[in-house]
Amino acid sequence: MKFYSTRDKNNAVTYKEAIFRGLAPDGGLYMPEEMSDLTGLIDSFSPDTPFNEIAAEITHALLSEELDRVASERVCSRAFNFTPELKNIDENISVLELFHGPSCAFKDFGASFLASSMEEFLKTDSRKATILTATSGDTGSAVARAFYKKNNIDVVILYPSGRVSPLQEKQLTTLGENIRALEVKGSFDDCQRMVKEAFMDRELSDRLNLTSANSISLGRLIPQSFYYIWAWAQAKGQRDNLWFCVPSGNFGNLTAGIMAHGWGMKNKGFIAATNINDVVPEYLKKGEFNPRASILTLSNAMDVGNPSNFERMLEIFEESHEKMSEVIKEEVITDSETKDTIKLLLDGRNYESDPHTAVGYLASQRFLNKAAAGTVEAGKAPRIITLSTAHPGKFTEVFEEATGSRPELPESLKEVMKLRKVSTLVGNTLEDMKGVIG
Ligand SMILES: *Cc1c(COP(=O)(O)O)cnc(C)c1O
């Protein structure tokens, strides 16, 4: 299997090239060259098939030219020492919890697989690399944890001093070993600019073999398909009219689901759930794509006004609005509805949810209501698996505002709060950064 850029079909690259490049040189995003038919493999999984086995089988099926069976198993077993969990909430709605990884958010699946694949290739080639990344708080911790103690890889994370939450700061600065946190006297924009300048500095970039791990990486996209297929296997016997509801921002998560669908996972469709940053729902409804500045909401990991993965979605559906809107339905949820839903889930179901998960749950209910009323074409008695993207303990303030109580913190987050912060304070220029890493 080769991978091409969404902006240039003529220069396909290997998986290895694609993950060390991150973005294609023409600014496009990497996509599989053809839609593989994995129907037989996907059908062979049962509710007893372990997540790791599904991950390794799919990896091998897609990347066999670069990762043989043993290597595929090694990459997956090193990536995933955590699994998804599926919980029934209502008669027709189950929650697919994706927050049992090290940073308690679904991004752990993508970041861990990327880190593990990079480690595999670097070891084989006896090379070293440096991951350089800027974070405004949340996404950096998944990357830091994923690359922690990986051989042949150093990580440098820039974050804006005083502008990330105490928990986020602890998650970035307490690991040590191969993870270095640079606390920048400036804004997140400064951090991003410094990273960009470092990549453009040929001498520095070559010497440290700089590479990125950002969310559009193909190495983070592919593994996000694994948990859909695992959940599909879990739902055996209840798959007649099965939908996945995906709380979305940059639409990587949903894109991975659509890819799994294309490989032969025969779910009926998807529900794209967003907060009021509703550029993609608007496209699905009207066929017009109008990217705009993002608006701050309570489900802030989904505050995206120009979702990068839309380019990949267009590619999959061959630029056809009709085809896309047949498979993907849309729901848009406001902040006050999000808070009400967090409370309702706690009071009525005894279920603690983070704001992103609440958006997905309410969208699922709306969809079921519309299906019952016949205002959306969904067939008879749809079942929905809605994705839970973060542990409620990562969003204690919103949870408390909505319910008056505090959510249970997962053990790993409690532990991290007790550790000592170690960061290097730097100014906001490339020269300042080179002074400490170069
Ligand atoms: C990143 C993130 C999302 C959005 O995922 P996309 O792949 O960008 O659509 C949703 N919820 C949480 C908690 C996230 O961190």
Side-chain angles (χ1 to χ4, degrees):
M1 166 93 76
K2 287 275 197 334
F3 301 88
Y4 67 86
S5 159
T6 45
R7 298 184 194 172
D8 176 9
K9 294 226 164 115
N10 300 317
N11 286 305
V13 300
T14 61
Y15 173 67
K16 179 163 97 178
E17 284 174 285
I19 63 171
F20 283 104
R21 283 189 188 168
L23 207 64
D26 58 16
L29 279 63
Y30 285 113
M31 288 290 287
E33 201 169 36
E34 78 254 17
M35 217 25 120
S36 307
D37 182 0
L38 308 182
T39 310
L41 180 61
I42 291 171
D43 284 348
S44 74
F45 300 134
S46 80
D48 297 326
T49 315
F51 175 75
N52 251 323
E53 190 177 320
I54 292 180
E57 289 285 347
I58 302 290
T59 301
H60 183 59
L62 295 171
L63 305 174
S64 58
E65 289 152 50
E66 295 176 74
L67 296 171
D68 63 23
R69 183 163 294 279
V70 176
S72 299
E73 283 166 10
R74 187 167 49 230
V75 165
C76 291
S77 68
R78 289 195 174 144
F80 306 120
N81 57 359
F82 54 92
T83 64
E85 290 181 21
L86 192 62
K87 294 192 176 147
N88 289 334
I89 292 267
D90 292 329
E91 210 185 313
N92 299 320
I93 304 179
S94 314
V95 176
L96 178 60
E97 293 182 348
L98 301 173
F99 55 68
H100 300 287
S103 84
C104 303
F106 89 96
K107 291 191 174 70
D108 287 329
F109 284 92
S112 294
F113 186 83
L114 173 67
S116 188
S117 334
M118 280 186 170
E119 180 184 49
E120 176 74 22
F121 292 127
L122 288 168
K123 261 195 201 158
T124 311
D125 300 350
S126 303
R127 279 195 307 144
K128 288 190 166 211
T130 305
I131 301 285
L132 182 65
T133 186
T135 181
S136 57
D138 201 39
T139 55
S141 61
V143 170
R145 291 298 305 249
F147 283 90
Y148 180 55
K149 288 190 178 172
K150 287 275 179 271
N151 293 307
N152 302 35
I153 308 178
D154 287 323
V155 177
V156 177
I157 296 190
L158 281 69
Y159 73 95
S161 181
R163 303 198 199 185
V164 303
S165 79
L167 174 63
Q168 287 170 339
E169 183 164 43
K170 288 278 188 175
Q171 285 189 300
L172 296 172
T173 59
T174 55
L175 286 167
E177 299 272 348
N178 62 330
I179 313 294
R180 181 129 190 229
L182 300 190
E183 183 176 352
V184 174
K185 288 182 265 182
S187 65
F188 174 54
D189 289 338
D190 291 328
C191 298
Q192 281 195 305
R193 174 183 43 78
M194 289 160 76
V195 166
K196 216 178 237 175
E197 287 171 359
F199 277 102
M200 287 188 315
D201 183 326
R202 246 348 233 284
E203 189 279 323
L204 181 75
S205 171
D206 287 349
R207 184 154 47 84
L208 298 180
N209 193 15
L210 287 186
T211 182
S212 89
N214 73 28
S215 71
I216 48 82
S217 170
L218 180 75
R220 288 176 64 165
L221 181 71
I222 288 177
Q224 291 179 3
S225 65
F226 303 160
Y227 45 74
Y228 286 94
I229 297 171
W230 176 83
W232 173 252
Q234 291 291 306
K236 216 164 187 168
Q238 305 181 306
R239 308 197 293 210
D240 282 350
N241 189 8
L242 188 75
W243 296 72
F244 285 100
C245 179
V246 189
S248 297
N250 211 21
F251 282 80
N253 205 358
L254 182 62
T255 300
I258 301 166
M259 283 181 8
H261 185 72
W263 299 333
M265 180 180 73
K266 293 193 198 67
N267 61 305
K268 195 72 178 284
F270 296 87
I271 303 148
T274 69
N275 57 35
I276 54 164
N277 292 284
D278 62 348
V279 178
V280 173
E282 188 179 276
Y283 170 80
L284 290 166
K285 234 190 264 171
K286 299 185 192 156
E288 288 162 23
F289 187 69
N290 292 312
R292 44 189 173 255
S294 64
I295 302 161
L296 221 66
T297 75
L298 295 177
S299 46
N300 56 30
M302 310 198 300
D303 294 348
V304 181
N306 188 7
S308 340
N309 285 292
F310 187 66
E311 225 172 288
R312 283 183 168 133
M313 293 164 69
L314 280 178
E315 217 30 63
I316 294 174
F317 293 103
E318 297 163 327
E319 317 261 327
S320 159
H321 169 255
E322 197 186 326
K323 284 186 191 162
M324 196 191 295
S325 56
E326 225 164 77
V327 179
I328 310 174
K329 308 298 173 189
E330 73 285 342
E331 293 294 339
V332 180
I333 308 297
T334 66
D335 271 357
S336 76
E337 290 167 340
T338 303
K339 277 198 274 186
D340 290 349
T341 305
I342 294 175
K343 181 152 176 55
L344 181 139
L345 278 170
L346 183 67
D347 295 347
R349 307 284 187 282
N350 199 21
Y351 188 79
E352 294 187 341
S353 61
D354 95 292
H356 309 81
T357 304
V359 165
Y361 177 79
L362 184 58
S364 303
Q365 278 215 323
R366 290 244 168 103
F367 180 80
L368 286 178
N369 291 341
K370 285 184 189 168
T375 50
V376 65
E377 252 185 71
K380 234 182 83 192
R383 274 197 64 77
I384 302 181
I385 294 177
T386 186
L387 276 53
S388 170
T389 49
H391 190 287
K394 293 196 87 170
F395 296 88
T396 45
E397 293 80 9
V398 182
F399 189 92
E400 198 168 6
E401 220 183 292
T403 65
S405 61
R406 292 180 76 83
E408 188 63 38
L409 271 194
E411 281 310 313
S412 60
L413 293 188
K414 277 188 208 158
E415 285 304 310
V416 95
M417 286 308 284
K418 293 186 208 148
L419 300 175
R420 195 172 68 88
K421 162 184 162 181
V422 180
S423 69
T424 309
L425 202 61
V426 295
N428 65 354
T429 69
L430 179 61
E431 288 312 308
D432 291 326
M433 179 164 86
K434 280 169 95 168
V436 297
I437 67 162

